Amino acid sequence: MLCCCAIMPIIKAVFMLVLAFFVFLAVSKTELKGLKLFGKILGVILLILAGYMIAMNVCSRMSNGRCPMKYNKDKGNIHMKMHHQQMIQQEVK
């Protein structure tokens, strides 16, 4: 079963793709060169971010099959523990 960590990035990526579509649609109808360039850059950034979100979601699913942000009652939040350990190691150095 997919948890919210698997579904939410996909929903966000789909939203970004729809937004990029409408940005490119608006760019095709405008006549100002500066606005066209800005719209194309914005649309490409949205496409890259959507692809990144999907790729990261697939990679995290393939790496261990578990949600890395899911809270475990016995171990606590694994992500926060890893972050805390890194902070302690940086302070020691």
Side-chain angles (χ1 to χ4, degrees), residues 29-70:
K29 297 189 183 272
T30 189
E31 294 179 5
L32 299 174
K33 290 182 181 180
L35 192 58
K36 273 191 177 194
L37 178 64
F38 176 73
K40 287 179 183 179
I41 291 171
L42 183 64
V44 168
I45 289 172
L46 287 170
L47 290 176
I48 290 171
L49 287 176
Y52 176 76
M53 292 181 93
I54 292 171
M56 288 296 105
N57 192 26
V58 168
C59 289
S60 69
R61 291 282 123 198
M62 291 177 66
S63 65
N64 60 7
R66 295 181 311 213
C67 176
M69 298 294 183
K70 200 173 217 178

Side-chain angles (χ1 to χ4, degrees), residues 16-34:
M16 285 186 183
L17 290 173
V18 170
L19 192 60
F21 169 77
F22 283 111
V23 167
F24 285 129
L25 182 67
V27 164
S28 70
K29 297 189 183 272
T30 189
E31 294 179 5
L32 299 174
K33 290 182 181 180

Side-chain angles (χ1 to χ4, degrees), residues 56-91:
M56 288 296 105
N57 192 26
V58 168
C59 289
S60 69
R61 291 282 123 198
M62 291 177 66
S63 65
N64 60 7
R66 295 181 311 213
C67 176
M69 298 294 183
K70 200 173 217 178
Y71 185 79
N72 187 342
K73 290 181 182 178
D74 298 329
K75 297 179 182 176
N77 192 332
I78 296 169
H79 175 73
M80 291 305 291
K81 282 187 175 182
M82 288 172 41
H83 179 68
H84 184 67
Q85 288 172 353
Q86 289 175 352
M87 296 283 289
I88 290 172
Q89 288 175 357
Q90 287 178 355
E91 288 176 5

